[in-house]
Amino acid sequence: MQGVTSPLAERPTRPLPTKPAGHVELARYSSLARFWSLLGGAARSGRRVTLVRGDAPDVCRRRIGGYALAGAGVFLDTARTAAHLEDGFAPHPALVTLLAGDPQPLRDELNVHFELRVDFTLALTARRDLIARPEFRFVPIVAGLSSLPDDLLLDVRRLGRDELHLLIQRACGLA
């Protein structure tokens, strides 16, 4: 009896014709081998590797999820988070100090009670550009353990290309 292979186990070979909006270039002049290496590393690292809705199995684009980074308070966008607080908030010492100009207590709270979830779409274009569309969000490690308000919007700062590339490599078990 022959084994059944899923479309995800096959190596996609058809690059995207162009870079879709919202994607960041990670590397120019990349290759199918590099793309396959990242997909394989993600699968071996226990990440969810799925087809993007509407894509055929041979298209070089996959959604990768399930990577979490602890101690990621440094990735907080303090300016945007403080702007959300301008409209009113439940008093919390870390939030009061953020509004006073000191983000460190809020970052410390995030480092202890939150993790940064990193999900992304990884693709290869016909121009041989390795691209990604990241999605970041802070989530509590244990719900209810932090005293921060549940409705607090915690924005992630904009990451540089090299930072993003390193995070993706780590998510794929290659760094």
Side-chain angles (χ1 to χ4, degrees):
M1 181 173 156
Q2 270 187 334
V4 178
T5 61
S6 77
L8 297 178
E10 297 173 14
R11 292 181 166 180
T13 56
R14 188 169 44 126
L16 295 176
T18 60
K19 181 175 97 168
H23 285 67
V24 176
E25 178 187 291
L26 299 177
R28 288 189 178 178
Y29 307 112
S30 196
S31 66
L32 279 172
R34 179 67 178 151
F35 181 69
W36 294 339
S37 173
L38 288 165
L39 293 181
R44 285 188 299 279
S45 297
R47 311 292 174 243
R48 292 180 311 278
V49 179
T50 57
L51 286 170
V52 173
R53 186 183 312 167
D55 281 358
D58 66 335
V59 172
C60 293
R61 178 168 51 181
R62 295 292 188 270
R63 181 161 170 71
I64 300 173
Y67 180 64
L69 185 63
V74 69
F75 293 110
L76 178 69
D77 186 331
T78 56
R80 285 186 16 214
T81 301
H84 295 305
L85 297 175
E86 302 279 329
D87 297 331
F89 68 99
H92 184 281
L95 300 179
V96 172
T97 58
L98 174 67
L99 289 174
D102 181 12
Q104 195 56 47
L106 181 56
R107 285 189 172 137
D108 292 342
E109 179 77 14
L110 292 177
N111 288 337
V112 172
H113 297 293
F114 288 79
E115 62 187 9
L116 182 64
R117 293 274 169 91
V118 180
D119 297 331
F120 54 94
T121 301
L122 187 67
L124 184 70
T125 69
R127 294 184 61 195
R128 296 179 47 190
D129 293 334
L130 184 65
I131 59 173
R133 190 180 118 252
E135 298 171 20
F136 302 109
R137 68 186 182 285
F138 284 103
V139 294
I141 296 170
V142 176
L145 194 56
S146 174
S147 59
L148 289 173
D150 293 334
D151 61 346
L152 179 63
L153 295 175
L154 297 167
D155 290 317
V156 176
R157 69 176 170 79
R158 186 180 175 121
L159 300 181
R161 182 176 75 172
D162 292 339
E163 287 178 304
L164 180 59
H165 198 177
L166 180 61
L167 273 180
I168 288 174
Q169 289 179 35
R170 288 185 67 187
C172 294
L174 300 179

